[in-house]
Amino acid sequence: MTRARIIGLGSYAPKRILTNADLEKMVDTDDAWIVQRTGVRERRIADESEATSDLALKAAQQALERANLVPEDIEFIAVGTTTPDMFFPTVGNIVQHRLGCGRVGSVDLLAACAGSIYSLAFGSQLVATGKYRRVLCIGAETLSRITDFADRGTCVLLADAAGAAVLEAYDGDRGIIDFDLYSDGQYWDLLYMPGGGSRNPATRETVDARMHYAKMKGNEVFKVAVRLFVDCAERILARNGFTAADVNLFIPHQANLRIIEAAAKRVDLPMDRVFVNVDRYGNTGAASVYVALEEAIAAGRLKRGDLVLIVALGGGFAWGAALMRW
């Protein structure tokens, strides 16, 4: 059976660090409140010269280098992002050209923070079907560009980063075993951005009304997110004949430490088998899972044969899970 296996990982975070102490000077909040409610201590913010494609390019270059490949080896590019440079061309299109790939296909997948799982699932299927041998999957965000720094409910969380994974066809038991993708639009008003699309195109009025920033109902998001995290994790494990005891490492979307801890407890996974870096990066959207996976490898948290469970959830809601044998 042909599976898609990750052969190279890369990540990039902007140099600028925004600490909780910095936020205390910008909005009515303090370090103790932020840490208690979110677990975040600092986050990375892109500078004025950096757009989402710039972050994506650096992560992709590192992933290719670690896979011992050149750009011409890539046959398709799938990017998860909520904050593209512009509506079109896509981030994938820009990265394809700047990376130096041939005229390969590319696509941006808009599933909010679940863009990580969606891009990984999309890329893995292109490989598993035999259509392509190598696919570059990317998650990249500059969420600071849609963050209202007068809203302490969102500005303490959202941040910028990019991660990338090179997938290659593999005939064996390693690689991506299975994935599930879900969405439920009834929750749209819990986490959304009202301005900038066809319903509320940019005008002086929409800008003055601060409609081009992310809006979130934090308490409601917490309740729904934990339930959906747990449900998709349990479903994918059960369908593939596993239990939580079989999972060597759980890599959740780094949305909020309280959500991660609550979900892990309900799935019956101890925190020593859960990878957490939300304290240093905040919520980096579609980049989050890729960055966490790259850091887990660098930290020696995964070895060959380990079972990895990945879960991510984003506004809409869109969410999903993936199982892989490392």
Side-chain angles (χ1 to χ4, degrees):
M1 179 175 63
T2 299
R3 285 181 178 170
R5 180 170 67 98
I6 295 175
I7 61 168
L9 284 162
S11 70
Y12 174 77
K15 294 180 181 179
R16 180 189 171 194
I17 297 175
L18 185 68
T19 67
N20 290 349
D22 295 326
L23 283 174
E24 288 177 352
K25 303 171 186 176
M26 301 166 59
V27 67
D28 181 21
T29 190
D30 60 69
D31 176 70
W33 184 89
I34 297 172
V35 173
Q36 179 185 22
R37 298 292 295 253
T38 70
V40 182
R41 298 182 182 275
E42 61 184 39
R43 69 287 293 151
R44 302 296 186 95
I45 304 296
D47 66 35
E48 293 180 357
S49 68
E50 292 178 308
T52 297
S53 66
D54 298 310
L55 277 58
L57 179 65
K58 291 179 179 179
Q61 289 171 330
Q62 186 178 68
L64 279 174
E65 181 181 347
R66 289 175 172 173
N68 294 313
L69 298 177
V70 295
E72 291 81 3
D73 292 322
I74 297 300
E75 298 170 71
F76 198 93
I77 302 171
V79 180
T81 186
T82 315
T83 51
D85 296 26
M86 57 195 82
F87 277 127
F88 59 91
T90 64
V91 173
N93 211 168
I94 296 169
V95 169
Q96 171 270 327
H97 171 66
R98 294 182 61 194
L99 192 59
C101 301
R103 292 181 175 178
V104 301
S106 64
V107 66
D108 283 7
L109 297 166
L110 178 57
C113 299
S116 53
I117 293 288
Y118 272 66
S119 58
L120 192 64
F122 186 90
S124 71
Q125 286 302 284
L126 293 178
V127 172
T129 61
K131 177 63 178 177
Y132 299 113
R133 179 166 175 76
R134 298 186 183 98
V135 173
L136 175 62
C137 298
I138 302 171
E141 303 281 18
T142 48
L143 293 176
S144 64
R145 303 290 163 79
I146 61 169
T147 298
D148 185 350
F149 283 94
D151 175 12
R152 73 171 186 170
T154 55
C155 74
V156 301
L157 285 168
L158 304 180
D160 309 332
V166 178
L167 301 182
E168 184 177 74
Y170 179 76
D171 294 323
D173 60 355
R174 299 172 66 195
I176 297 174
I177 299 170
D178 196 8
F179 63 85
D180 283 332
L181 303 177
Y182 303 93
S183 72
D184 192 337
Q186 69 171 305
Y187 301 113
W188 73 269
D189 63 342
L190 300 187
L191 182 55
Y192 69 109
M193 188 177 77
S198 61
R199 188 166 299 281
N200 296 297
T203 64
R204 182 179 297 275
E205 289 73 25
T206 63
V207 172
D208 289 344
R210 308 182 80 81
M211 294 174 68
H212 299 270
Y213 294 127
K215 311 293 183 182
M216 182 176 71
K217 298 177 182 177
N219 290 335
E220 290 88 342
V221 168
F222 175 84
K223 295 173 186 177
V224 178
V226 172
R227 176 166 53 82
L228 298 181
F229 259 61
V230 172
D231 179 71
C232 69
E234 292 179 338
R235 282 173 179 264
I236 198 168
L237 286 172
R239 189 173 65 250
N240 288 278
F242 297 115
T243 68
D246 298 308
V247 176
N248 298 102
L249 191 64
F250 176 35
I251 300 181
H253 165 54
Q254 307 291 308
N256 179 309
L257 183 59
R258 292 172 64 221
I259 291 175
I260 294 171
E261 290 177 335
K265 183 177 180 179
R266 296 191 190 183
V267 177
D268 198 24
L269 273 165
M271 288 302 294
D272 63 359
R273 284 193 277 139
V274 181
F275 191 84
V276 176
N277 65 4
V278 68
D279 55 318
R280 293 177 290 112
Y281 291 100
N283 182 350
T284 58
S288 173
V289 161
Y290 288 112
V291 173
L293 185 57
E294 191 275 334
E295 283 208 333
I297 295 298
R301 295 286 300 274
L302 281 175
K303 63 181 184 299
R304 180 168 180 162
D306 279 352
L307 185 68
V308 185
L309 172 63
I310 300 173
V311 177
L313 177 142
F317 282 156
W319 71 99
L323 267 179
M324 70 173 74
R325 181 71 68 184
W326 194 251

